[in-house]
C-alpha cells in the first residue's frame, strides 16, 4: 500500500498519549495502541488507527466508554469464566479475558471465557493470536452492531460478527483466519460510494432486500449480505455463522445481541459481547508432529495448481505476516486521508498528531 | 418433498439388517441407522439412506471399512481425548467420540475430542445435537475427500469440511447449524448435470479454475468453490473456514488432511478425521436465562422485516425440525429413484429392500 510511513513505536506512542488524555491508564492505553497499530501493521487498515476517534476517543469523551473500567469475574470454573467488562475499552477487556482463558488452558488444557458489557475490540485475530506463544490454538469471536440482513430479510439484524482462529505452525507462519461473517465490511461499501464505483452483486441489498450494485442504496437503509451472498449462493450459511457467533459471544455471556448491540455513534453503552477459546495442542497430540503437519498442509496449498492467470495461492494470515514484515523495515503506511483525519481529530481532542513520517 | 413414504422404524430396521449382513454388530448398526434415517427425516436427503451402499455397504464388502472396529483412546486428559477409530464406520466412531466428549464436559464443563482413522460419518449435525439433551452447546467438525479449490487455485485440495453447531433453546426448537464450507455439495452439481440445467456462477470452477455455469465442466476436472464463491465475493473466507476445519479435524488428531483424505470410491482407508466440542451453558450463565435469550433472538429474526416477495425468515435448523415433525406423522419420503436404487443395491448385497410404503 502506498501512503505516508511512520515508525511503529511512534504510532504506538501517539495512541498511548491520545488514550491517556482521556484518562485511560498507561498500561491499558498500551494495549489499545498495540491492537490498533497491529491492525495497520498487518494491512488491516480498516481496523487500525483510522478508528482512534470515531470508535474510541469520541466515546471516551462522551463518557460512553469508561476509561479504567472495572472488569469483574462474574462466575468461573477451572475451564470457564464469565467476565463483565464494566463498559470498558473492548481491547482492554478482551486482552484480560483472553489472558485468563490462556491461563486456565495452561492448567486445564481447554478453556473458554465469555464476556459481556464490553465494546468494539478491534481485530479479533489479535486475541486469537495471543494463544500462539503458548502452543495453543486460539479462537476469538465478538458480536457487533447490526449491519447484516438475514437471508430473505431486508434490514440489518445481526452484526458482521467475526470469527478468528489462530494456529501455531512449525517453520511456517501461523495460520490466522480473521474474517467477518458478512461478505464485506460496511467500510468497503463506503469506499465504493465515495469513488462512485458500483459494488459486485452479492455484497449487499437495498432497503427492499433486493441485491444491488449501488453502494448508495446500501447506505440508505439497505444492509450487508452474509458470507455467501443471496440464498442461491448459500448466503444462509454465512447468516447461520453470524447467528452462531452471536449465540456464543452475545447470548452465552448475557450481552446485548442481534439488533440491540450498539453502534459506535449510539449514545448508550454498546453492550458488546465476546467469546474466547484456547486449546493446548499437547492435550491431543505431540506438538511437533502437529506443527509439522500444519507446515505440510500450508506447503501443499501453496504448491497447488493455480487458476488461469493466478500466480499464487495463499493461506489465511499469510499476506498479513508479509505485510507486517515489510512494515518492520519500511514503517507503517497510512494513506494521506487518514493522516489528515488524525491531524484534524488530534487537534479537536487536544492531542496534536505531530509524528514525523519516516525518511 | 414428494416421494414414496416409509415408516421411520421400517427404514431403520432395513438399515440395521443391511449393516448386520456385513458383520456390523447390532448396536453399531443401530447407530448407523439412526444417523442415516435422521438425515432423511430432517430433509437432508443427500446424506440419508441414499448413501447406504455407495458410502458404506460397498466399502464394508470390500473390507475398506471395518465392521466391529476397535476404537481406542490414544491419549486423554480430563478435558480432552484423542481417539483412533480403527477404520470403523464413521457414525459409530463419531457417536463414541461425542459421547465421551459430553461425559467429560459433564464433569469438566468443557471438553473436546479429536478422532483419526475414521470414515465418512453422515450429517455432522447429528453429533452436535447429542449435546442438546445435556444442556450443552455441541460442535462437530469433520474433514472429507478433496472437492473444493482454494481461492486462486483450480484443483480440489480440501474437503467440503462441514461445521455443525447445536444450541439448546427454551420454548423454541434448538438452533442447529449444519453447513458444508463449500458453496454447494458435489451432489447438487450432479443433479444439475443430470437435468441439463446450468449452475449459478459462484458455485464451482472448471479445470482451468474459471467460474463456470456448466456442471459438466465441474465434474470433468473442475472443483467446487468455497462458501463465498470467487475472491471478489470473499470466497477466501469459506476457503479459510475449510482449512480451519481441516486443522482441527484432520491435523489435530493426526488424521489424513487436505488432498489426502480418501474418496468413498478409493481402495485404501479414507483416514477421515473429526473434532467434537461440548460446553455446559451453566459454566457461564444461568441456563434458563440463556435459553430465554435464544428464544428471543430466534423470535426477533422470525419477526424481522422481510425482503421483497419473501414470506419468511428462518434460523438454522428450523426447516429441518419442521420436516422431521411432518415425517413423524406422514412417514419419511424417498424419491422414486432412490427407492429404485435401494432395491437394486439391496438385491446385489443380498438384503432385499422389501419395505411396504405407507398408505
Amino acid at each position: 500500500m502506498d501512503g505516508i510511513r511512520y515508525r511503529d513505536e511512534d504510532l504506538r506512542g501517539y495512541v498511548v498519549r491520545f488514550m491517556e488524555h482521556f484518562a485511560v491508564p498507561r498500561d491499558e492505553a498500551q494495549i489499545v495502541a498495540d491492537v490498533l497499530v497491529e491492525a495497520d501493521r498487518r494491512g488491516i487498515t480498516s481496523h487500525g488507527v483510522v478508528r482512534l476517534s470515531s470508535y474510541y476517543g469520541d466515546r471516551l469523551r462522551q463518557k460512553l466508554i469508561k476509561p479504567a473500567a472495572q472488569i469483574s469475574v462474574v462466575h468461573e470454573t477451572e475451564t470457564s469464566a464469565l467476565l463483565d467488562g464494566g463498559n470498558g475499552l473492548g481491547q482492554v477487556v478482551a486482552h484480560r479475558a483472553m489472558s485468563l482463558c490462556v491461563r486456565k488452558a495452561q492448567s486445564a488444557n481447554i478453556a473458554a471465557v465469555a464476556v459481556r458489557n464490553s465494546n468494539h475490540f478491534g481485530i479479533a485475530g489479535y486475541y486469537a493470536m495471543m494463544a500462539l506463544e503458548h502452543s495453543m490454538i486460539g479462537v476469538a469471536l465478538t458480536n457487533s452492531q447490526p449491519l447484516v440482513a438475514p437471508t430473505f430479510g431486508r434490514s440489518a439484524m445481526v452484526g458482521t460478527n467475526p470469527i478468528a482462529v489462530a494456529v501455531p505452525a512449525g517453520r511456517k507462519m501461523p495460520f490466522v483466519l480473521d474474517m467477518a461473517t458478512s461478505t464485506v465490511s460496511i467500510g468497503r461499501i463506503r469506499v465504493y460510494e465515495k469513488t462512485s464505483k458500483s459494488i459486485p452483486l452479492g455484497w449487499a441489498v437495498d432497503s427492499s432486500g433486493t441485491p444491488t450494485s449501488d453502494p448508495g442504496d446500501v447506505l440508505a437503509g439497505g444492509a450487508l449480505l452474509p458470507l455467501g451472498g443471496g440464498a442461491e449462493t448459500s448466503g444462509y450459511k454465512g447468516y447461520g455463522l453470524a447467528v452462531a457467533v452471536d449465540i456464543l459471544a452475545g447470548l452465552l455471556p448475557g450481552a446485548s445481541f442481534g439488533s440491540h448491540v450498539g453502534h459506535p455513534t449510539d449514545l448508550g453503552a454498546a453492550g458488546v459481547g465476546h467469546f474466547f477459546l484456547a486449546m493446548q495442542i499437547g492435550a491431543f497430540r505431540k506438538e511437533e508432529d502437529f506443527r509439522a503437519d500444519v507446515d505440510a498442509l500450508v506447503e501443499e496449498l501453496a504448491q497447488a495448481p493455480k487458476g488461469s492467470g493466478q500466480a499464487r495461492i495463499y493461506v489465511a494470515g499469510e499476506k498479513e505476516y508479509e505485510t507486517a514484515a515489510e512494515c518492520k523495515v519500511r514503517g507503517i503506511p497510512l494513506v494521506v486521508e487518514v493522516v489528515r483525519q488524525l491531524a484534524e481529530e488530534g487537534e479537536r481532542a487536544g492531542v496534536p498528531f505531530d509524528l514525523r513520517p519516516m525518511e
Side-chain angles (χ1 to χ4, degrees), chain A:
Chain A
M1 193 188 76
D2 286 340
I4 306 173
R5 291 187 180 260
Y6 294 90
R7 269 176 209 82
D8 186 310
E9 59 274 24
D10 286 354
L11 273 180
R12 274 169 220 263
Y14 179 72
V15 175
V16 170
R17 288 203 306 281
F18 188 94
M19 288 287 146
E20 286 190 310
H21 180 77
F22 289 108
V24 176
R26 169 152 304 193
D27 57 335
E28 301 188 0
Q30 279 165 341
I31 291 171
V32 177
D34 206 47
V35 178
L36 291 185
V37 176
E38 180 71 12
D40 282 312
R41 222 170 60 89
R42 294 174 68 80
I44 315 166
T45 51
S46 60
H47 284 59
V49 294
V50 66
R51 289 184 165 178
L52 188 55
S53 280
S54 59
Y55 272 63
Y56 312 108
D58 288 351
R59 293 185 69 76
L60 284 163
R61 186 166 39 80
Q62 295 172 87
K63 304 200 186 308
L64 297 169
I65 292 180
K66 275 197 184 154
Q70 207 185 324
I71 302 167
S72 58
V73 178
V74 181
H75 180 64
E76 72 180 318
T77 74
E78 278 173 44
T79 55
S80 69
L82 169 63
L83 300 194
D84 186 306
N87 194 26
L89 283 156
Q91 291 87 343
V92 176
V93 176
H95 189 275
R96 180 84 64 90
M98 188 61 180
S99 299
L100 178 62
C101 190
V102 164
R103 210 154 58 235
K104 284 182 181 288
Q106 277 171 328
S107 56
N109 284 312
I110 302 176
V113 174
V115 181
R116 69 188 185 201
N117 200 11
S118 184
N119 283 285
H120 195 281
F121 71 14
I123 47 169
Y126 183 93
Y127 313 100
M129 289 169 72
M130 285 173 65
L132 294 175
E133 61 186 301
H134 303 282
S135 297
M136 294 179 190
I137 293 173
V139 175
L141 313 173
T142 187
N143 63 12
S144 70
Q145 69 269 27
L147 288 168
V148 178
T151 304
F152 303 140
R154 64 179 156 91
S155 303
M157 296 298 294
V158 289
T160 53
N161 300 359
I163 297 174
V165 181
V167 180
R171 291 166 297 107
K172 301 279 179 184
M173 286 294 122
F175 171 88
V176 180
L177 179 68
D178 186 359
M179 52 167 270
T181 51
S182 54
T183 301
V184 293
S185 66
I186 194 74
R188 198 86 168 270
I189 305 285
R190 287 205 193 97
V191 168
Y192 274 69
E193 199 220 11
K194 261 189 198 163
T195 52
S196 302
K197 278 170 67 181
S198 58
I199 56 171
L201 278 180
W203 280 16
V205 293
D206 63 20
S207 60
S208 78
T210 310
T212 180
S213 57
D214 183 345
D217 286 351
V218 182
L219 299 173
L224 298 174
L225 276 169
L227 178 62
E232 190 186 59
T233 42
S234 304
Y236 48 83
K237 295 183 182 183
Y239 162 48
L241 286 172
V243 174
V245 170
D246 210 2
I247 288 171
L248 291 170
L251 304 190
L252 197 57
S256 292
F257 59 83
S259 63
H260 311 287
V261 182
H263 283 264
T265 47
D266 287 348
L267 289 181
V272 171
H274 318 305
F275 178 85
F276 305 96
L277 181 81
M279 283 194 301
Q280 295 225 41
I281 288 151
F284 300 91
R285 194 180 171 205
K286 212 171 137 193
E287 192 189 318
E288 61 185 80
D289 293 346
F290 172 81
R291 286 180 183 266
D293 273 358
V294 175
D295 286 353
L297 178 57
V298 168
E299 187 60 28
E300 178 171 298
L301 290 166
Q303 299 298 332
K306 311 297 176 288
S308 172
Q310 298 299 341
R312 191 170 164 191
I313 292 170
Y314 295 86
V315 293
E318 203 173 0
K319 267 185 193 170
E320 288 77 8
Y321 275 108
E322 290 180 8
T323 303
E326 195 200 340
C327 288
K328 200 166 177 178
V329 179
R330 302 186 51 207
I332 297 171
L334 300 179
V335 294
V336 175
E337 204 192 335
V338 169
V339 174
R340 195 179 305 133
Q341 184 191 316
L342 285 170
E344 207 178 289
E345 291 170 346
E347 191 70 38
R348 178 154 49 92
V351 192
F353 183 74
D354 52 6
L355 302 187
R356 248 212 337 233
M358 284 177 73
E359 289 151 336

